[in-house]
């Protein structure tokens, strides 16, 4: 997988976290983010995994890479507090 192929045009990568959980665990953890709505959990091949969700009227994607997760928001003008809330939720 080339990660840039999975970043929507015009979207913004706003964080990188070390990979410490499996995608299914991220999906389950997403359920505990109040107000978040799962849009898609894509596992085209084992190495091409991403999680799409909406939170606070914004569209997000988490891309799984071999050693890290990339956090992407579709709207580059997303409020910083919204991105911070998503990042803080997944840092625990």
């Amino acid at each position: 997988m080339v990660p840039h192929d999975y970043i929507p045009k015009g979207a913004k990568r706003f964080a990188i976290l070390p990979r410490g959980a499996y995608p299914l665990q991220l999906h389950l953890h997403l359920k505990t983010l109040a107000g978040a709505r799962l849009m898609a959990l894509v596992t085209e091949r084992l190495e091409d995994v991403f999680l799409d969700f909406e939170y606070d009227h914004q569209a997000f994607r988490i891309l799984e890479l071999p050693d890290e997760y990339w956090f992407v928001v579709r709207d580059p003008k997303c409020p910083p507090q919204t991105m911070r809330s998503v990042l803080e939720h997944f840092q625990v």
Side-chain angles (χ1 to χ4, degrees):
M1 169 176 82
V2 178
H4 300 287
D5 292 345
Y6 292 98
I7 296 177
K9 186 175 181 176
K12 174 183 178 178
R13 184 183 73 192
F14 67 94
I16 298 173
L17 289 179
R19 184 171 176 236
Y22 293 104
L24 182 57
Q25 291 170 308
L26 289 180
H27 168 245
L28 295 173
H29 191 59
L30 176 65
K31 291 181 177 186
T32 66
L33 179 59
R37 184 172 71 138
L38 177 67
M39 302 306 291
L41 174 60
V42 176
T43 57
E44 293 176 4
R45 296 182 307 235
L46 290 178
E47 66 273 3
D48 295 351
V49 176
F50 58 86
L51 176 71
D52 286 346
F53 63 97
E54 291 181 351
Y55 174 72
D56 196 25
H57 308 288
Q58 298 290 327
F60 291 90
R61 174 170 285 175
I62 301 174
L63 295 166
E64 178 193 21
L65 299 173
D67 296 322
E68 59 196 15
Y69 285 111
W70 284 13
F71 287 74
V72 176
V73 62
R74 184 173 292 277
D75 180 359
K77 296 179 182 175
C78 175
Q81 179 56 41
T82 300
M83 291 184 285
R84 191 170 24 259
S85 293
V86 167
L87 183 59
E88 288 173 356
H89 180 78
F90 284 99
Q91 282 180 319
V92 289

